Amino acid sequence: MTTMKAAQKRAQAKVEYNAFLAGCPSRQLLDRISDKWVVLILCALGGDNSPGQPGAAQAVAPKAMRYSEISRLLAGVSQKMLTQTLRSLEHDGLLTRTVTPTVPVTVSYELTELGLSLHHMTRGLRNWAQAHMAEVLANRETYDSRTS
Amino acid sequence: MTTMKAAQKRAQAKVEYNAFLAGCPSRQLLDRISDKWVVLILCALGGDNSPGQPGAAQAVAPKAMRYSEISRLLAGVSQKMLTQTLRSLEHDGLLTRTVTPTVPVTVSYELTELGLSLHHMTRGLRNWAQAHMAEVLANRETYDSRTS
DNA sequence: GTGCCTACTTCCCCATGGGAAGTTTCTCTC
DNA sequence: GAGAGAAACTTCCCATGGGGAAGTAGGCAC
């Protein structure tokens, strides 16, 4: 990484982000997006936040949301973390922040195209978690009974 | 969500893990897997850990790895965190831990089928990070120049 | 004027994670 | 036979990060 000829550098520039290397920017990016609040915010803005009508195919349409809406949906997030996470996502160009100077000012957040592409991943994560919950729970019990 | 008939409740029982609810087990599961070390370990064991020959199609085959191998691959992970994360993944049935009583004992970790299914997700995350790195970097610069 | 609204920011405190050194059990070397 | 060394942890200490709660701005309603 430190000693490298220009030709190699050029060849690497396109492909050679290796998230396993601690210093690699893609590793830092992975660190940032492998965060529970990031995943949840992406899911929320991505649109798979319908109140859970069972059986109804969830309408998965990206949707702009206000700060308070997100705050309400992501039960348990502290305001500090929410603001902080939203800022970093805006910083990375994953979402846009729009201030509307209404009575009390309203702020709305919306995924960019880039954010939308990441949303496909986080959506998969969330669905995985919900789909395999039972299995994991069963595994935990098996594990605990084996070791107790 | 609060007012619900028994019929609906029954219908929900199967499907209705909602990761947005703070108390929901699937939320806790999502919290656990939305972790940088979890993602990296899954990627490592999933097999997309080739030393980065640019251009060469990465051989993506799940692979058992020893503790020290993982430790070396995931530059920057502390032993404490690595052990802790591996334990929790084993606990959830995402990987198996096998002790071989050789000279100094060797321990190898391997993904279970469940872990493998999650690996598809984390692999996507990692690839996304590496693929969109440049774009994110550009966005950061734009953002910084706009606000400075 | 008092109070309330949204979208934050700030302060304090505790839990979590990093760094490094210690532990165990064996075998190999001097 | 004393000591080194190796793998996989475990333990201890301390800094950072995240939660909880309270404070801020500023415009409108009462």
Side-chain angles (χ1 to χ4, degrees):
Chain A
M1 197 62 93
T2 50
T3 61
M4 188 190 295
K5 286 185 297 186
Q8 286 179 304
K9 248 186 206 159
R10 254 180 286 119
Q12 276 206 326
K14 293 196 297 288
V15 241
E16 197 48 15
Y17 284 121
N18 183 351
F20 282 123
L21 301 170
C24 181
S26 78
R27 166 66 169 275
Q28 290 162 2
L29 182 56
L30 188 59
D31 288 356
R32 169 116 7 132
I33 63 181
S34 305
D35 174 83
K36 58 177 175 176
W37 298 127
V38 170
V39 172
L40 284 168
I41 288 175
L42 269 281
C43 283
L45 289 175
D48 36 24
N49 53 352
S50 72
Q53 295 307 327
Q58 292 196 316
V60 183
K63 177 185 156 194
M65 290 179 78
R66 298 181 44 186
Y67 181 89
S68 50
E69 279 186 285
I70 304 176
S71 174
R72 230 172 298 121
L73 184 60
L74 303 198
V77 74
S78 67
Q79 294 187 313
K80 187 174 95 175
M81 252 299 105
L82 182 54
T83 305
Q84 197 174 312
T85 309
L86 287 169
R87 284 288 141 76
S88 79
L89 292 177
E90 187 197 1
H91 187 220
D92 290 349
L94 295 171
L95 51 78
T96 57
R97 178 172 178 273
T98 315
V99 180
T100 317
T102 48
V103 190
V105 68
T106 55
V107 181
S108 75
Y109 296 90
E110 191 166 9
L111 289 183
T112 61
E113 207 154 316
L114 185 60
L116 209 58
S117 74
L118 179 55
H119 163 69
H120 296 324
M121 306 289 134
T122 60
R123 185 169 134 68
L125 267 188
R126 189 209 171 192
N127 286 338
W128 187 94
Q130 296 185 175
H132 296 79
M133 192 62 240
E135 209 169 332
V136 167
L137 250 27
N139 284 330
R140 287 185 190 166
E141 271 186 47
T142 308
Y143 185 96
D144 290 342
S145 65
R146 246 189 295 118
T147 55
S148 63
Chain B
M1 195 61 89
T2 47
T3 60
M4 187 191 296
K5 285 187 297 187
Q8 287 178 302
K9 251 187 203 160
R10 254 179 286 119
Q12 276 204 326
K14 290 198 297 287
V15 241
E16 198 49 16
Y17 283 121
N18 183 351
F20 284 121
L21 301 171
C24 181
S26 78
R27 165 66 168 274
Q28 290 162 4
L29 181 56
L30 188 60
D31 288 355
R32 169 118 5 136
I33 63 182
S34 305
D35 173 82
K36 58 176 175 177
W37 299 127
V38 169
V39 171
L40 283 168
I41 289 174
L42 270 279
C43 282
L45 290 175
D48 37 21
N49 53 352
S50 73
Q53 295 310 323
Q58 294 195 319
V60 184
K63 178 187 156 193
M65 290 179 76
R66 297 181 47 186
Y67 181 89
S68 51
E69 280 185 284
I70 304 176
S71 174
R72 230 172 298 120
L73 183 61
L74 303 198
V77 73
S78 68
Q79 294 188 313
K80 187 173 95 175
M81 252 298 104
L82 183 54
T83 305
Q84 198 174 312
T85 309
L86 286 168
R87 284 288 141 76
S88 79
L89 291 177
E90 187 197 1
H91 187 220
D92 290 349
L94 295 172
L95 51 79
T96 57
R97 179 173 178 273
T98 316
V99 180
T100 319
T102 51
V103 189
V105 69
T106 56
V107 182
S108 73
Y109 296 91
E110 192 166 9
L111 289 183
T112 61
E113 206 154 318
L114 185 60
L116 210 58
S117 74
L118 180 55
H119 163 70
H120 295 323
M121 305 289 134
T122 61
R123 186 171 133 67
L125 265 188
R126 189 210 170 191
N127 287 337
W128 187 94
Q130 296 186 173
H132 295 80
M133 194 61 240
E135 209 170 332
V136 167
L137 250 29
N139 284 331
R140 286 185 190 168
E141 273 185 45
T142 309
Y143 184 95
D144 289 343
S145 65
R146 246 190 296 117
T147 54
S148 63

